[in-house]
Amino acid sequence: MGDMEEWPEIEKAATEKRRELVFQGPAVDKRISSNGGLASALYSLTLLNYLEVSQCPSLTEIHEDIQHLTNLQSLILCRNKLASIPDVFGSLKSLKVLDLSVNNLSVLPEGITQLKELNTLNVSCNSLEVLPEGLSQCTKLSTINISKNLITCFPADFYSERLDLLSTLVASDNSIEQLSGDVHKLAALKVLDLSNNKLREIPSDLSDCPKLKDINFKGNKLSDKRLEKMVNGCQTKSILDYLRGKGKAKGEDGGDADGGRKADKGKRQQRKKKEKVAEDEVEDLNKMVVRVLHISDTSTAPKVTVSAEVKDVRPYLVCCVVRGMNLKPGNALKRFLMAQTKLHDELCGKRTTATIATHDVQLLKAPLIYDVKPPTQLKVVPLGRKEMTAVELIRHLQLEADELRKQKKRQNVTGLHKYLQLLQGKTMYPCLVDAEGHVISFPPITNSEKTKIKKTTKELFLEVTSAVSLQTCKDVMDALIVKMAELNKFTAEHREEAGSDGEGDGPQEPAGEISSELIVQQVRTVDQDGNLKVVYPSKTDLSNDISNLTVIW
């Protein structure tokens, strides 16, 4: 009973059969210190699927009894002082997200390689010298962050076709001396960060990665000084074109015939995969038209200024304007909102990797600023609520979540309540602010009633934010726009009546005249000095190799 008295959260979680539990900060750290670790009763909560213990420097080890929490899907143990991890982690067969960042780990247990469902592994800011052999067995891995360690090389089996979902690899600030030409086997790789390592060469085979969009090799002393200069100043496409040219030249000279044949085989395999994906997309998106307009510098599209302070909170943002989305007929608006929720749950990892917000352009007061505010000063009119501070909103949502659990005896809750833990421990909150100082978006929680879209909305301002990477934002925005095109086609073909809920009063649009064409207008984000940070869509965004998607620049 002593455990329960010292740890009332555990007793409450057991009584209410909760699926989520978070321990964080100085108060928890003090209990861990006096108890000699986490309470043993914690490991009896076998229903848990989300467990976080963070910012507790007294936590130096995890007991082997954690193997009993076999339903865990997310285990967050960041910003502690863990010196070791028990090998029994391999028993957590349902685990999808494992965050061990900012600890004192010098080695990872081989048991991690048995986590077949793992899609996100973050072990950054430790003292790791090697990664365990066998990571290629974790075939669902999509994001790996091993930055700020002492790693000198990747395991021999790492460059494997089995890791065909790996899209983001961040390995900056290590001592990596070589990147193998077999890197081209990572067919899904989109983001590769090997900055501040000890590389002397970049293999030409890297140019055979078909989806690679964002690479960073800054801070390496490359033997090819021209390439080193490009790395420090050029975009990804220029570097890949240069590497591709070097690879062809090497093959023509006969200096590495076997390597050339190997690269050619790799290219053929990647081309087949890419053609298969393209064929499937053509079939799925048949007869849809997405037209992307290149907007000049004098564009009237909203511009977003990004403050320097967001870097440490939620640094990545992409936006665009979409015209031609038909939300008035029948259940068109409902279908769109349901599709957005599905993207949040799946592609956005329940908002842990990215968050989408939509606004009515006619209700926006540009220019916009992406900024941070203290929770007590951030005021917002949440969807369906009155204006309140972020502190008040979080408190209301937490009370509602607790009440829902009691009334309906739910093991977890839905809606906004699911995302409260994403802000825990933050001293500043991110927000998108309009020209009048109103907060129109508070990611990852809610956007504002002031710019809420309705059936009568003609133009939508789309916003995607993330704490993971810029490419994550772009991938989510790509998927959202393609889904909007699909929904618009469905609406045009099914001829539903408009204005059924009173929001679309006025003359009904004849069903036969509804067009499924979308126009996507670029939006630029700039820093506080006016320097361009990102423009979306750029020429590498959306799909330009599908016959029924028309891209106009």
Short mmCIF file of all heavy atoms in Angstrom, two decimals, residues 234-293:
data_model
loop_
_atom_site.label_atom_id
_atom_site.label_comp_id
_atom_site.label_asym_id
_atom_site.label_seq_id
_atom_site.Cartn_x
_atom_site.Cartn_y
_atom_site.Cartn_z
N CYS A 234 24.50 24.71 -51.25
CA CYS A 234 23.53 24.36 -52.30
C CYS A 234 22.36 23.54 -51.76
O CYS A 234 22.41 23.02 -50.66
CB CYS A 234 24.22 23.56 -53.41
SG CYS A 234 25.39 24.52 -54.36
N GLN A 235 21.35 23.45 -52.59
CA GLN A 235 20.17 22.66 -52.25
C GLN A 235 20.39 21.19 -52.59
O GLN A 235 21.31 20.83 -53.32
CB GLN A 235 18.95 23.19 -53.00
CG GLN A 235 18.56 24.61 -52.58
CD GLN A 235 17.33 25.07 -53.32
OE1 GLN A 235 16.94 24.49 -54.32
NE2 GLN A 235 16.71 26.13 -52.81
N THR A 236 19.52 20.37 -52.04
CA THR A 236 19.63 18.92 -52.20
C THR A 236 19.72 18.51 -53.66
O THR A 236 20.56 17.68 -54.04
CB THR A 236 18.43 18.24 -51.53
OG1 THR A 236 18.49 18.48 -50.12
CG2 THR A 236 18.44 16.74 -51.78
N LYS A 237 18.87 19.08 -54.50
CA LYS A 237 18.82 18.65 -55.91
C LYS A 237 20.17 18.87 -56.60
O LYS A 237 20.63 18.01 -57.35
CB LYS A 237 17.72 19.42 -56.64
CG LYS A 237 17.51 18.95 -58.09
CD LYS A 237 16.36 19.69 -58.75
CE LYS A 237 16.10 19.13 -60.15
NZ LYS A 237 17.27 19.25 -61.02
N SER A 238 20.81 20.00 -56.33
CA SER A 238 22.10 20.28 -56.96
C SER A 238 23.15 19.27 -56.54
O SER A 238 23.96 18.80 -57.37
CB SER A 238 22.56 21.69 -56.58
OG SER A 238 21.61 22.66 -56.98
N ILE A 239 23.16 18.91 -55.28
CA ILE A 239 24.14 17.95 -54.77
C ILE A 239 23.91 16.58 -55.39
O ILE A 239 24.85 15.91 -55.83
CB ILE A 239 24.06 17.87 -53.23
CG1 ILE A 239 24.45 19.21 -52.61
CG2 ILE A 239 24.97 16.77 -52.69
CD1 ILE A 239 24.15 19.31 -51.13
N LEU A 240 22.64 16.15 -55.45
CA LEU A 240 22.34 14.84 -56.02
C LEU A 240 22.66 14.79 -57.50
O LEU A 240 23.15 13.77 -58.01
CB LEU A 240 20.87 14.49 -55.78
CG LEU A 240 20.46 14.27 -54.32
CD1 LEU A 240 18.97 13.96 -54.21
CD2 LEU A 240 21.27 13.14 -53.68
N ASP A 241 22.42 15.89 -58.21
CA ASP A 241 22.78 15.94 -59.64
C ASP A 241 24.29 15.80 -59.81
O ASP A 241 24.77 15.11 -60.72
CB ASP A 241 22.30 17.26 -60.25
CG ASP A 241 20.80 17.29 -60.47
OD1 ASP A 241 20.17 16.21 -60.40
OD2 ASP A 241 20.25 18.39 -60.68
N TYR A 242 25.05 16.45 -58.94
CA TYR A 242 26.51 16.37 -59.01
C TYR A 242 26.98 14.94 -58.73
O TYR A 242 27.85 14.41 -59.44
CB TYR A 242 27.11 17.34 -57.99
CG TYR A 242 28.62 17.34 -57.96
CD1 TYR A 242 29.36 17.98 -58.95
CD2 TYR A 242 29.32 16.70 -56.93
CE1 TYR A 242 30.75 17.98 -58.92
CE2 TYR A 242 30.70 16.69 -56.88
CZ TYR A 242 31.42 17.34 -57.89
OH TYR A 242 32.79 17.34 -57.85
N LEU A 243 26.42 14.31 -57.70
CA LEU A 243 26.79 12.93 -57.37
C LEU A 243 26.42 11.98 -58.50
O LEU A 243 27.16 11.05 -58.81
CB LEU A 243 26.10 12.49 -56.07
CG LEU A 243 26.55 13.18 -54.78
CD1 LEU A 243 25.65 12.77 -53.62
CD2 LEU A 243 28.00 12.83 -54.48
N ARG A 244 25.27 12.24 -59.11
CA ARG A 244 24.82 11.40 -60.23
C ARG A 244 25.81 11.50 -61.39
O ARG A 244 26.15 10.49 -62.03
CB ARG A 244 23.41 11.82 -60.65
CG ARG A 244 22.68 10.83 -61.53
CD ARG A 244 21.23 11.25 -61.72
NE ARG A 244 20.47 11.10 -60.49
CZ ARG A 244 19.93 12.11 -59.80
NH1 ARG A 244 20.10 13.35 -60.23
NH2 ARG A 244 19.25 11.88 -58.70
N GLY A 245 26.28 12.71 -61.64
CA GLY A 245 27.26 12.92 -62.70
C GLY A 245 28.57 12.21 -62.40
O GLY A 245 29.19 11.61 -63.28
N LYS A 246 29.00 12.23 -61.14
CA LYS A 246 30.24 11.54 -60.75
C LYS A 246 30.09 10.04 -60.92
O LYS A 246 31.01 9.36 -61.38
CB LYS A 246 30.56 11.84 -59.28
CG LYS A 246 31.13 13.22 -59.03
CD LYS A 246 31.55 13.39 -57.57
CE LYS A 246 32.70 12.48 -57.23
NZ LYS A 246 33.18 12.71 -55.84
N GLY A 247 28.90 9.51 -60.59
CA GLY A 247 28.66 8.08 -60.71
C GLY A 247 28.72 7.62 -62.15
O GLY A 247 29.32 6.59 -62.47
N LYS A 248 28.13 8.43 -63.05
CA LYS A 248 28.15 8.07 -64.47
C LYS A 248 29.57 8.11 -65.01
O LYS A 248 30.00 7.23 -65.76
CB LYS A 248 27.26 9.03 -65.26
CG LYS A 248 25.77 8.81 -65.05
CD LYS A 248 24.97 9.79 -65.89
CE LYS A 248 23.47 9.55 -65.70
NZ LYS A 248 22.66 10.53 -66.47
N ALA A 249 30.30 9.15 -64.62
CA ALA A 249 31.68 9.27 -65.10
C ALA A 249 32.53 8.09 -64.66
O ALA A 249 33.33 7.56 -65.41
CB ALA A 249 32.29 10.58 -64.59
N LYS A 250 32.34 7.65 -63.44
CA LYS A 250 33.11 6.52 -62.91
C LYS A 250 32.81 5.24 -63.68
O LYS A 250 33.69 4.46 -64.01
CB LYS A 250 32.79 6.34 -61.42
CG LYS A 250 33.77 5.44 -60.68
CD LYS A 250 33.49 5.52 -59.19
CE LYS A 250 34.52 4.71 -58.43
NZ LYS A 250 34.30 4.76 -56.97
N GLY A 251 31.53 5.04 -64.02
CA GLY A 251 31.14 3.86 -64.77
C GLY A 251 31.71 3.87 -66.18
O GLY A 251 32.17 2.86 -66.69
N GLU A 252 31.69 5.06 -66.82
CA GLU A 252 32.19 5.17 -68.19
C GLU A 252 33.68 4.92 -68.26
O GLU A 252 34.21 4.36 -69.21
CB GLU A 252 31.85 6.56 -68.74
CG GLU A 252 30.37 6.74 -69.02
CD GLU A 252 30.00 8.19 -69.27
OE1 GLU A 252 30.92 9.05 -69.20
OE2 GLU A 252 28.82 8.47 -69.53
N ASP A 253 34.42 5.36 -67.20
CA ASP A 253 35.87 5.16 -67.20
C ASP A 253 36.27 3.72 -66.93
O ASP A 253 37.43 3.35 -67.10
CB ASP A 253 36.52 6.04 -66.11
CG ASP A 253 36.40 7.52 -66.45
OD1 ASP A 253 36.14 7.81 -67.63
OD2 ASP A 253 36.54 8.35 -65.53
N GLY A 254 35.33 2.91 -66.49
CA GLY A 254 35.63 1.52 -66.20
C GLY A 254 36.37 1.31 -64.92
O GLY A 254 36.87 0.23 -64.65
N GLY A 255 36.50 2.37 -64.12
CA GLY A 255 37.27 2.28 -62.90
C GLY A 255 36.60 1.41 -61.85
O GLY A 255 37.25 0.89 -60.97
N ASP A 256 35.30 1.26 -61.96
CA ASP A 256 34.58 0.46 -60.95
C ASP A 256 33.39 -0.20 -61.64
O ASP A 256 32.24 0.13 -61.39
CB ASP A 256 34.13 1.36 -59.80
CG ASP A 256 33.58 0.56 -58.62
OD1 ASP A 256 33.57 -0.69 -58.69
OD2 ASP A 256 33.15 1.19 -57.65
N ALA A 257 33.71 -1.12 -62.53
CA ALA A 257 32.66 -1.73 -63.34
C ALA A 257 31.66 -2.48 -62.50
O ALA A 257 30.45 -2.41 -62.72
CB ALA A 257 33.29 -2.66 -64.38
N ASP A 258 32.16 -3.24 -61.51
CA ASP A 258 31.25 -3.99 -60.65
C ASP A 258 30.34 -3.05 -59.89
O ASP A 258 29.14 -3.29 -59.75
CB ASP A 258 32.06 -4.84 -59.66
CG ASP A 258 32.74 -6.00 -60.36
OD1 ASP A 258 32.29 -6.37 -61.48
OD2 ASP A 258 33.70 -6.54 -59.79
N GLY A 259 30.94 -1.95 -59.40
CA GLY A 259 30.13 -0.97 -58.68
C GLY A 259 29.08 -0.36 -59.58
O GLY A 259 27.95 -0.10 -59.17
N GLY A 260 29.48 -0.11 -60.87
CA GLY A 260 28.53 0.47 -61.82
C GLY A 260 27.36 -0.47 -62.07
O GLY A 260 26.22 -0.05 -62.12
N ARG A 261 27.70 -1.77 -62.24
CA ARG A 261 26.61 -2.73 -62.48
C ARG A 261 25.70 -2.82 -61.26
O ARG A 261 24.49 -2.93 -61.37
CB ARG A 261 27.22 -4.10 -62.80
CG ARG A 261 27.76 -4.21 -64.22
CD ARG A 261 28.04 -5.66 -64.57
NE ARG A 261 29.16 -6.21 -63.83
CZ ARG A 261 30.42 -6.13 -64.26
NH1 ARG A 261 30.72 -5.53 -65.39
NH2 ARG A 261 31.39 -6.68 -63.53
N LYS A 262 26.32 -2.75 -60.08
CA LYS A 262 25.53 -2.81 -58.84
C LYS A 262 24.58 -1.61 -58.75
O LYS A 262 23.41 -1.75 -58.39
CB LYS A 262 26.48 -2.83 -57.64
CG LYS A 262 25.78 -3.04 -56.30
CD LYS A 262 26.81 -3.15 -55.20
CE LYS A 262 26.14 -3.42 -53.88
NZ LYS A 262 27.15 -3.51 -52.79
N ALA A 263 25.13 -0.43 -59.09
CA ALA A 263 24.30 0.77 -59.05
C ALA A 263 23.17 0.68 -60.06
O ALA A 263 22.04 1.07 -59.79
CB ALA A 263 25.16 2.01 -59.30
N ASP A 264 23.51 0.16 -61.30
CA ASP A 264 22.47 0.02 -62.32
C ASP A 264 21.37 -0.91 -61.87
O ASP A 264 20.18 -0.66 -62.10
CB ASP A 264 23.10 -0.51 -63.62
CG ASP A 264 23.96 0.54 -64.31
OD1 ASP A 264 23.79 1.73 -63.97
OD2 ASP A 264 24.79 0.16 -65.15
N LYS A 265 21.75 -2.02 -61.22
CA LYS A 265 20.74 -2.95 -60.72
C LYS A 265 19.86 -2.27 -59.68
O LYS A 265 18.63 -2.43 -59.69
CB LYS A 265 21.43 -4.18 -60.11
CG LYS A 265 20.45 -5.24 -59.63
CD LYS A 265 21.20 -6.45 -59.06
CE LYS A 265 20.20 -7.50 -58.56
NZ LYS A 265 20.91 -8.67 -57.98
N GLY A 266 20.51 -1.51 -58.79
CA GLY A 266 19.75 -0.78 -57.77
C GLY A 266 18.79 0.20 -58.40
O GLY A 266 17.64 0.32 -57.98
N LYS A 267 19.25 0.90 -59.44
CA LYS A 267 18.40 1.87 -60.13
C LYS A 267 17.18 1.19 -60.75
O LYS A 267 16.06 1.70 -60.69
CB LYS A 267 19.19 2.59 -61.21
CG LYS A 267 20.18 3.62 -60.67
CD LYS A 267 20.91 4.29 -61.82
CE LYS A 267 21.93 5.30 -61.31
NZ LYS A 267 22.66 5.96 -62.40
N ARG A 268 17.44 0.03 -61.40
CA ARG A 268 16.32 -0.68 -62.03
C ARG A 268 15.28 -1.10 -61.00
O ARG A 268 14.08 -0.99 -61.21
CB ARG A 268 16.84 -1.91 -62.79
CG ARG A 268 17.60 -1.57 -64.06
CD ARG A 268 17.77 -2.81 -64.94
NE ARG A 268 18.56 -3.83 -64.29
CZ ARG A 268 19.90 -3.88 -64.37
NH1 ARG A 268 20.57 -2.96 -65.04
NH2 ARG A 268 20.56 -4.86 -63.77
N GLN A 269 15.77 -1.59 -59.84
CA GLN A 269 14.84 -2.01 -58.78
C GLN A 269 14.03 -0.83 -58.28
O GLN A 269 12.81 -0.93 -58.09
CB GLN A 269 15.63 -2.63 -57.62
CG GLN A 269 16.25 -3.97 -57.97
CD GLN A 269 17.14 -4.49 -56.84
OE1 GLN A 269 17.60 -3.73 -56.00
NE2 GLN A 269 17.40 -5.78 -56.85
N GLN A 270 14.71 0.31 -58.05
CA GLN A 270 14.00 1.48 -57.55
C GLN A 270 13.00 2.00 -58.58
O GLN A 270 11.91 2.45 -58.24
CB GLN A 270 14.99 2.60 -57.19
CG GLN A 270 16.04 2.21 -56.16
CD GLN A 270 15.44 1.58 -54.94
OE1 GLN A 270 14.33 1.92 -54.54
NE2 GLN A 270 16.14 0.64 -54.34
N ARG A 271 13.40 1.95 -59.89
CA ARG A 271 12.52 2.44 -60.94
C ARG A 271 11.26 1.60 -61.02
O ARG A 271 10.15 2.12 -61.19
CB ARG A 271 13.27 2.42 -62.28
CG ARG A 271 12.49 3.08 -63.40
CD ARG A 271 13.41 3.49 -64.55
NE ARG A 271 14.22 2.39 -65.04
CZ ARG A 271 15.54 2.34 -64.93
NH1 ARG A 271 16.20 3.31 -64.35
NH2 ARG A 271 16.22 1.30 -65.40
N LYS A 272 11.41 0.27 -60.86
CA LYS A 272 10.23 -0.60 -60.88
C LYS A 272 9.29 -0.29 -59.74
O LYS A 272 8.08 -0.23 -59.90
CB LYS A 272 10.68 -2.08 -60.81
CG LYS A 272 11.30 -2.59 -62.10
CD LYS A 272 11.72 -4.05 -61.97
CE LYS A 272 12.36 -4.57 -63.26
NZ LYS A 272 12.80 -5.97 -63.12
N LYS A 273 9.88 -0.09 -58.54
CA LYS A 273 9.05 0.24 -57.38
C LYS A 273 8.31 1.55 -57.60
O LYS A 273 7.13 1.70 -57.31
CB LYS A 273 9.91 0.34 -56.12
CG LYS A 273 10.41 -0.99 -55.60
CD LYS A 273 11.20 -0.79 -54.30
CE LYS A 273 11.72 -2.12 -53.77
NZ LYS A 273 12.50 -1.94 -52.53
N LYS A 274 9.06 2.54 -58.13
CA LYS A 274 8.47 3.86 -58.34
C LYS A 274 7.35 3.80 -59.37
O LYS A 274 6.30 4.43 -59.22
CB LYS A 274 9.57 4.83 -58.79
CG LYS A 274 9.18 6.29 -58.72
CD LYS A 274 10.40 7.16 -58.98
CE LYS A 274 10.03 8.63 -58.86
NZ LYS A 274 11.18 9.52 -59.11
N GLU A 275 7.57 3.01 -60.46
CA GLU A 275 6.55 2.89 -61.49
C GLU A 275 5.30 2.22 -60.95
O GLU A 275 4.18 2.59 -61.29
CB GLU A 275 7.11 2.10 -62.68
CG GLU A 275 8.15 2.88 -63.48
CD GLU A 275 8.87 2.01 -64.51
OE1 GLU A 275 8.63 0.77 -64.52
OE2 GLU A 275 9.65 2.57 -65.29
N LYS A 276 5.50 1.22 -60.05
CA LYS A 276 4.35 0.53 -59.46
C LYS A 276 3.54 1.50 -58.60
O LYS A 276 2.31 1.54 -58.67
CB LYS A 276 4.84 -0.64 -58.60
CG LYS A 276 3.70 -1.42 -57.92
CD LYS A 276 2.81 -2.11 -58.93
CE LYS A 276 1.83 -3.06 -58.27
NZ LYS A 276 0.87 -2.41 -57.39
N VAL A 277 4.23 2.30 -57.79
CA VAL A 277 3.55 3.30 -56.95
C VAL A 277 2.78 4.29 -57.82
O VAL A 277 1.64 4.63 -57.55
CB VAL A 277 4.56 4.04 -56.04
CG1 VAL A 277 3.90 5.21 -55.35
CG2 VAL A 277 5.15 3.08 -55.03
N ALA A 278 3.44 4.75 -58.90
CA ALA A 278 2.80 5.71 -59.80
C ALA A 278 1.54 5.13 -60.43
O ALA A 278 0.52 5.80 -60.54
CB ALA A 278 3.78 6.15 -60.88
N GLU A 279 1.62 3.85 -60.85
CA GLU A 279 0.45 3.21 -61.46
C GLU A 279 -0.72 3.15 -60.48
O GLU A 279 -1.86 3.41 -60.84
CB GLU A 279 0.81 1.80 -61.92
CG GLU A 279 1.74 1.77 -63.13
CD GLU A 279 2.25 0.37 -63.42
OE1 GLU A 279 1.85 -0.57 -62.71
OE2 GLU A 279 3.04 0.23 -64.35
N ASP A 280 -0.39 2.80 -59.22
CA ASP A 280 -1.45 2.73 -58.20
C ASP A 280 -2.07 4.10 -57.96
O ASP A 280 -3.29 4.23 -57.81
CB ASP A 280 -0.88 2.19 -56.88
CG ASP A 280 -0.46 0.74 -56.99
OD1 ASP A 280 -0.90 0.05 -57.93
OD2 ASP A 280 0.33 0.31 -56.13
N GLU A 281 -1.23 5.14 -57.94
CA GLU A 281 -1.75 6.49 -57.70
C GLU A 281 -2.61 6.96 -58.87
O GLU A 281 -3.64 7.62 -58.67
CB GLU A 281 -0.59 7.46 -57.46
CG GLU A 281 0.10 7.23 -56.13
CD GLU A 281 1.31 8.11 -55.96
OE1 GLU A 281 1.90 8.53 -56.98
OE2 GLU A 281 1.68 8.38 -54.80
N VAL A 282 -2.20 6.62 -60.08
CA VAL A 282 -3.00 6.99 -61.25
C VAL A 282 -4.38 6.36 -61.18
O VAL A 282 -5.40 6.99 -61.44
CB VAL A 282 -2.28 6.56 -62.56
CG1 VAL A 282 -3.22 6.69 -63.74
CG2 VAL A 282 -1.04 7.41 -62.78
N GLU A 283 -4.40 5.08 -60.79
CA GLU A 283 -5.68 4.38 -60.69
C GLU A 283 -6.56 5.00 -59.61
O GLU A 283 -7.75 5.22 -59.81
CB GLU A 283 -5.42 2.91 -60.38
CG GLU A 283 -6.69 2.06 -60.36
CD GLU A 283 -6.40 0.59 -60.13
OE1 GLU A 283 -5.21 0.22 -60.22
OE2 GLU A 283 -7.34 -0.15 -59.86
N ASP A 284 -5.96 5.32 -58.46
CA ASP A 284 -6.72 5.87 -57.34
C ASP A 284 -7.23 7.27 -57.61
O ASP A 284 -8.29 7.68 -57.13
CB ASP A 284 -5.86 5.89 -56.07
CG ASP A 284 -5.57 4.49 -55.57
OD1 ASP A 284 -6.28 3.56 -55.96
OD2 ASP A 284 -4.60 4.36 -54.78
N LEU A 285 -6.46 8.06 -58.36
CA LEU A 285 -6.79 9.48 -58.54
C LEU A 285 -7.29 9.77 -59.95
O LEU A 285 -7.16 10.88 -60.46
CB LEU A 285 -5.55 10.33 -58.26
CG LEU A 285 -4.93 10.13 -56.87
CD1 LEU A 285 -3.65 10.93 -56.75
CD2 LEU A 285 -5.90 10.52 -55.80
N ASN A 286 -7.86 8.79 -60.58
CA ASN A 286 -8.30 8.91 -61.97
C ASN A 286 -9.24 10.09 -62.18
O ASN A 286 -10.18 10.31 -61.42
CB ASN A 286 -9.00 7.62 -62.39
CG ASN A 286 -9.27 7.57 -63.88
OD1 ASN A 286 -8.53 8.16 -64.66
ND2 ASN A 286 -10.33 6.88 -64.27
N LYS A 287 -8.95 10.89 -63.21
CA LYS A 287 -9.78 12.02 -63.64
C LYS A 287 -9.75 13.22 -62.69
O LYS A 287 -10.55 14.12 -62.83
CB LYS A 287 -11.24 11.59 -63.87
CG LYS A 287 -11.41 10.57 -64.99
CD LYS A 287 -12.87 10.22 -65.17
CE LYS A 287 -13.05 9.19 -66.26
NZ LYS A 287 -14.44 8.79 -66.43
N MET A 288 -8.87 13.23 -61.74
CA MET A 288 -8.76 14.40 -60.88
C MET A 288 -7.78 15.39 -61.48
O MET A 288 -6.86 15.02 -62.18
CB MET A 288 -8.29 14.01 -59.48
CG MET A 288 -9.38 13.46 -58.61
SD MET A 288 -8.81 13.36 -56.93
CE MET A 288 -7.63 12.07 -57.09
N VAL A 289 -8.01 16.67 -61.21
CA VAL A 289 -7.12 17.71 -61.70
C VAL A 289 -6.70 18.57 -60.53
O VAL A 289 -7.52 19.13 -59.82
CB VAL A 289 -7.81 18.59 -62.76
CG1 VAL A 289 -6.86 19.70 -63.21
CG2 VAL A 289 -8.22 17.75 -63.96
N VAL A 290 -5.40 18.66 -60.28
CA VAL A 290 -4.87 19.61 -59.31
C VAL A 290 -3.94 20.54 -60.07
O VAL A 290 -2.97 20.10 -60.66
CB VAL A 290 -4.07 18.90 -58.19
CG1 VAL A 290 -3.45 19.93 -57.26
CG2 VAL A 290 -4.98 17.97 -57.42
N ARG A 291 -4.27 21.81 -60.12
CA ARG A 291 -3.43 22.77 -60.83
C ARG A 291 -2.68 23.60 -59.81
O ARG A 291 -3.28 24.21 -58.93
CB ARG A 291 -4.28 23.68 -61.72
CG ARG A 291 -3.46 24.72 -62.47
CD ARG A 291 -4.30 25.41 -63.52
NE ARG A 291 -4.74 24.44 -64.50
CZ ARG A 291 -5.86 24.58 -65.22
NH1 ARG A 291 -6.64 25.61 -65.04
NH2 ARG A 291 -6.19 23.66 -66.08
N VAL A 292 -1.37 23.62 -59.91
CA VAL A 292 -0.53 24.39 -59.00
C VAL A 292 -0.03 25.62 -59.74
O VAL A 292 0.63 25.51 -60.77
CB VAL A 292 0.66 23.55 -58.50
CG1 VAL A 292 1.51 24.36 -57.53
CG2 VAL A 292 0.17 22.28 -57.84
N LEU A 293 -0.37 26.78 -59.25
CA LEU A 293 0.04 28.02 -59.89
C LEU A 293 1.31 28.55 -59.25
O LEU A 293 1.44 28.58 -58.03
CB LEU A 293 -1.06 29.09 -59.74
CG LEU A 293 -2.43 28.74 -60.33
CD1 LEU A 293 -3.37 29.90 -60.09
CD2 LEU A 293 -2.32 28.45 -61.82
#
